[in-house]
Amino acid sequence: MRVRRGYLLISVFLWVLATASGACADSFEAFRGLEGTLKISGGTAHIPVMQTLAQEVMRRYPAIRITIAGGGSGVGIKQVGEGLVDIGNSGRKPTDEEIAAYGLKLYRWAMDGVAAVVHPQNPVRALTVQQVKDIFSGKIMNWKDVGGPDRAIHVFTRDEASGTREVFWKKALDKGAIRKDADVVPSNGAMKTAVATDPAAIGYMSVGYVDESVRAVILDGVEANVDNVQSGRYPVARGLYSNTKGDPSPLAKAFLGLLYAPEGQAVIADKGYIPVTQ
C-alpha cells in the first residue's frame, strides 16, 4: 500500500510538473517565427521584470533582439507616442490628453507601492505622513526632530518625468512642496545607491527595489510591503503600465502577452510587484 501511494504521489508530482512546464513553454510560443528588434523605454520600476523576460526571449529566439532603456514615465510615453520605441513604460496611467494625442493603448500588468526609504543605520523606522511632508518640504531639517540623531537631513528626489515621483508627490506629499536643494536622481536604482551610501539620506522608491541596502519607512503605522499594497492598507501605490501607439506590432504583442502569462506573472511577483491579470 505504501509502495502504491508512493507511486501515486510521484505520478501526481510529475503530472503537475509537466503541466506547469507546458504552461511556461506556451508563454513563449507566441515568439516562434518572429524576428527583429523590439525597443522599450520609460519607467525604471519596470526594468527588472522587462530585463528578465527579455533575456529569456532572446535566449530562446536568437533572431529577436530586445533593447530596454529607462528615462522615466514621461519619456516612455513621449517616445512611444513619437514612434521612437515600440513600448513605452509608465509608472502612472497616461493622461487623457496623452492618450488622445498619441493614440495610445494601455496595458496595466502590475501594482506597485512607493516607499520612503532611509539608510539601514538610521534609527528612525517610522514616520507619520505629516512628518514626511515636513521633511520633504524643508520644515523639518534635522533627524533629531523625528527621533533620530542630531544630523541634517539629506533629501533625494526624482525629476518631474518620473512616475515614481508623481505617485509619491500626490499620495504621500499631497502635492506639497519638495525642497529646492533636494538632490535629483534619475532612476529607482540610482535612488537606492544614493540612500544606501548616505546615513543622513531620505528618498523614495518602488517597493520592488527595496532590499537590505535600504530600509522602507513605516508610514502612519503601515509597512510598505506587497501584502499591504495589495490589500489597500498602504495607500502610496500605483499601476505599472506598458503603452503602445495604436495596435502593437507582432513582436510587441507577444512580449505584452508574456507579462500576463504564467512565466511573466511569476517574474513580476518575484521582483516584488503584484501581478495584474489582463
Side-chain angles (χ1 to χ4, degrees):
M1 186 66 179
R2 290 180 181 175
V3 174
R4 289 181 181 178
R5 185 176 298 165
Y7 278 125
L8 178 60
L9 290 174
I10 292 171
S11 297
V12 170
F13 172 75
L14 291 175
W15 177 82
V16 171
L17 183 62
T19 302
S21 298
C24 290
D26 290 343
S27 301
F28 294 91
E29 190 64 27
F31 293 94
R32 188 175 299 278
L34 299 178
E35 59 182 25
T37 299
L38 178 67
K39 296 180 180 179
I40 303 172
S41 73
T44 59
H46 306 58
I47 290 178
V49 172
M50 295 276 167
Q51 284 183 335
T52 299
L53 293 176
Q55 288 168 1
E56 181 62 16
V57 170
M58 291 188 288
R59 184 187 72 81
R60 292 171 181 247
Y61 301 100
I64 295 173
R65 175 173 169 76
I66 302 173
T67 64
I68 301 169
S73 299
V75 170
I77 291 169
K78 187 173 187 291
Q79 288 191 344
V80 76
E82 293 179 349
L84 300 176
V85 298
D86 304 290
I87 296 174
N89 292 327
S90 60
R92 62 172 175 83
K93 183 179 180 180
T95 65
D96 291 341
E97 291 76 14
E98 289 168 332
I99 294 170
Y102 294 130
L104 298 180
K105 290 201 170 183
L106 283 52
Y107 303 83
R108 188 180 71 129
W109 46 266
M111 288 293 296
D112 178 35
V114 178
V117 292
V118 297
H119 192 277
Q121 295 177 1
N122 191 328
V124 176
R125 297 177 178 271
L127 294 167
T128 66
V129 169
Q130 189 59 54
Q131 286 173 326
V132 171
K133 290 179 185 178
D134 290 346
I135 288 171
F136 276 85
S137 68
K139 290 182 182 178
I140 294 176
M141 302 284 287
N142 195 298
W143 282 112
K144 70 179 180 179
D145 296 326
V146 289
D150 185 5
R151 177 179 287 168
I153 298 173
H154 191 182
V155 173
F156 287 89
T157 189
R158 297 282 303 280
D159 62 81
E160 293 187 5
S162 164
T164 306
R165 179 191 187 278
E166 179 163 335
V167 71
F168 190 78
W169 176 65
K170 284 183 177 179
K171 297 188 176 184
L173 303 183
D174 196 24
K175 299 184 179 181
I178 296 177
R179 286 171 51 171
K180 293 187 182 299
D181 64 345
D183 280 333
V184 179
V185 294
S187 66
N188 278 286
M191 180 69 79
K192 181 163 65 175
T193 299
V195 175
T197 54
D198 185 349
I202 187 170
Y204 52 88
M205 67 176 67
S206 164
V207 168
Y209 270 81
V210 175
D211 58 22
E212 68 282 351
S213 69
V214 295
R215 178 186 294 128
V217 174
I218 298 170
L219 188 64
D220 273 352
V222 181
E223 292 186 18
N225 58 37
V226 171
D227 289 340
N228 288 334
V229 171
Q230 191 168 23
S231 69
R233 290 191 65 224
Y234 186 76
V236 189
R238 42 94 179 260
L240 296 185
Y241 293 83
S242 290
N243 311 291
T244 62
K245 183 179 179 67
D247 292 330
S249 67
L251 196 49
K253 182 178 180 180
F255 193 82
L256 292 167
L258 183 57
L259 292 167
Y260 299 101
E263 180 77 5
Q265 299 268 291
V267 171
I268 291 167
D270 179 66
K271 298 303 180 182
Y273 304 121
I274 300 166
V276 174
T277 56
Q278 195 167 20

